[in-house]
Amino acid sequence: MILARVIVTPKPVVNDPQGNTVKQGLATLGFREVSDVRVGKYIEVSLDVTSEHEARVRVEEMCRQLLANHVIEDFHFDIVRDGHR
Amino acid sequence: MILARVIVTPKPVVNDPQGNTVKQGLATLGFREVSDVRVGKYIEVSLDVTSEHEARVRVEEMCRQLLANHVIEDFHFDIVRDGHR
């Protein structure tokens, strides 16, 4: 069993209304030292494959096909063996 | 400038309908080696503070007050100096 930890973020040039809302919320709560907030997705994928290389190829393909919208989002991931975090 | 990278995940005992939907979507696309998917949030917070310790204390407080729902979510974060990733 292999665990992939995928992070999908809005591209730097793309507006992030969710991040702006969180920033405003934090300011309202008194966290005025916050200069910027960006909100993305974190996706843990457990795979029944034996090789780390195979996992890497497959997860890259998953990101391209479903997990990330390449027009407005970037993604990166790391692979953890045995499901340990 | 300090960057905090926060990851918020549904607690293991909590149902994750978003994760289930992504798992089904991946299966439909032919990724049948996927045994489980969990979906959480990834939040980058830029702070105008000078000390890493201060950033840590403040981000912990942000997570408790706004970023995570402690009833159903866990969170963890790391701190990166100078906004480098």
Side-chain angles (χ1 to χ4, degrees):
Chain A
M1 178 76 81
I2 281 178
L3 182 73
R5 300 183 297 191
V6 182
I7 287 175
V8 180
T9 49
K11 282 185 195 283
V13 295
V14 170
N15 242 334
D16 178 14
Q18 203 180 350
N20 294 339
T21 304
V22 171
K23 186 187 165 192
Q24 284 171 27
L26 288 171
T28 304
L29 290 170
F31 297 103
R32 304 203 171 276
E33 71 271 48
V34 173
S35 59
D36 194 29
V37 177
R38 304 284 288 174
V39 176
K41 283 173 286 185
Y42 171 75
I43 306 161
E44 280 183 354
V45 181
S46 305
L47 297 107
D48 286 322
V49 294
T50 45
S51 99
E52 194 172 317
H53 172 73
E54 187 186 353
R56 205 166 282 282
V57 170
R58 293 294 278 172
V59 172
E60 176 97 23
E61 200 51 44
M62 289 175 208
C63 289
R64 295 193 185 284
Q65 289 193 32
L66 184 76
L67 302 181
N69 177 344
H70 72 102
V71 178
I72 55 168
E73 293 172 326
D74 293 321
F75 67 85
H76 65 273
F77 62 87
D78 60 5
I79 301 286
V80 190
R81 289 205 69 96
D82 302 316
H84 293 308
R85 299 177 193 189
Chain B
M1 178 76 81
I2 281 178
L3 181 73
R5 301 183 296 190
V6 182
I7 287 175
V8 180
T9 48
K11 282 184 195 284
V13 295
V14 171
N15 242 334
D16 178 14
Q18 202 180 349
N20 293 340
T21 304
V22 171
K23 187 188 165 191
Q24 284 170 26
L26 289 172
T28 304
L29 290 169
F31 296 104
R32 304 202 173 276
E33 71 272 47
V34 174
S35 59
D36 194 30
V37 177
R38 306 283 288 173
V39 176
K41 283 173 286 183
Y42 171 75
I43 307 160
E44 280 182 355
V45 181
S46 305
L47 297 108
D48 285 321
V49 294
T50 46
S51 100
E52 196 172 315
H53 172 74
E54 187 186 352
R56 206 166 282 282
V57 170
R58 294 294 277 172
V59 172
E60 175 97 25
E61 199 52 44
M62 289 175 207
C63 289
R64 295 192 185 284
Q65 289 191 34
L66 185 75
L67 303 181
N69 177 346
H70 72 102
V71 178
I72 55 168
E73 293 173 326
D74 292 322
F75 67 86
H76 65 274
F77 61 87
D78 61 6
I79 301 286
V80 190
R81 291 205 68 99
D82 302 317
H84 293 308
R85 299 177 194 186

